[in-house]
Amino acid sequence: MKRNERARQVLSRFGDVAWFRHPVERHPFYDYFQVSFVGWRYAEPREELKTIFESAIREAPKQVEWTFRSIRNWMIVPTRLIREAGPDGANFNDAMGAIRESDQEFCAATAEDLENILRKLTEAPSIDGSPSA
């Protein structure tokens, strides 16, 4: 299963995902790594879920610093990408491209980290309180 499908499946354990964004891990033509992150919106967001995502970011083994954001859309994103996108996120796509072009080691690290974060979320109890099988 591709990571974007697995990420959506993991997030769906906690609610109905109404919107989802996850870049492909590698560029389809040039095969270089992309900056890994995941963004989503639940149809009915529940405040108590935020601690699950914050905990997964804090506890998963990682090489780079990550941030969980929950405004209209929820995101698990490398802190560097947020910093380089600017305070309102207006330069998000440009920042993502600049990092991709200049720092493939960072991009590879985000891919590995996101796998660990998704694994940690898989271990977390779902909305009905049951752990993943």
Side-chain angles (χ1 to χ4, degrees), residues 8-116:
R8 188 179 186 116
Q9 184 178 57
V10 167
L11 296 171
S12 294
R13 293 179 58 238
F14 304 100
D16 180 23
V17 176
W19 176 84
F20 178 79
R21 180 177 179 194
H22 177 284
V24 293
E25 188 172 342
R26 289 183 171 270
H27 189 280
F29 301 114
Y30 304 112
D31 200 41
Y32 48 68
F33 281 103
Q34 311 273 46
V35 178
S36 295
F37 70 91
V38 64
W40 73 98
R41 182 179 324 120
Y42 286 118
E44 296 181 24
R46 295 176 39 196
E47 198 68 27
E48 64 270 17
L49 293 175
K50 293 177 182 180
T51 58
I52 293 171
F53 299 108
E54 291 164 347
S55 180
I57 289 171
R58 197 173 43 252
E59 295 172 11
K62 56 197 168 296
Q63 301 171 55
V64 302
E65 183 182 349
W66 289 78
T67 299
F68 168 68
R69 282 201 160 172
S70 59
I71 306 169
R72 179 173 185 229
N73 299 324
W74 293 14
M75 292 184 79
I76 295 174
V77 61
T79 305
R80 175 181 171 187
L81 180 54
I82 291 173
R83 206 172 34 251
E84 294 185 20
D88 63 356
N91 299 317
F92 190 85
N93 290 332
D94 291 339
M96 195 168 50
I99 293 170
R100 178 190 65 228
E101 298 295 321
S102 67
D103 197 345
Q104 278 291 289
E105 285 183 25
F106 178 83
C107 294
T110 65
E112 188 176 323
D113 283 1
L114 189 55
E115 289 289 343
N116 291 333

Side-chain angles (χ1 to χ4, degrees), residues 10 13-14 52 55-56 59-61 115-126 129-133:
V10 167
R13 293 179 58 238
F14 304 100
I52 293 171
S55 180
E59 295 172 11
E115 289 289 343
N116 291 333
I117 292 167
L118 291 173
R119 199 171 302 113
K120 188 56 91 171
L121 287 170
T122 301
E123 298 167 0
S126 65
S130 63
S132 175

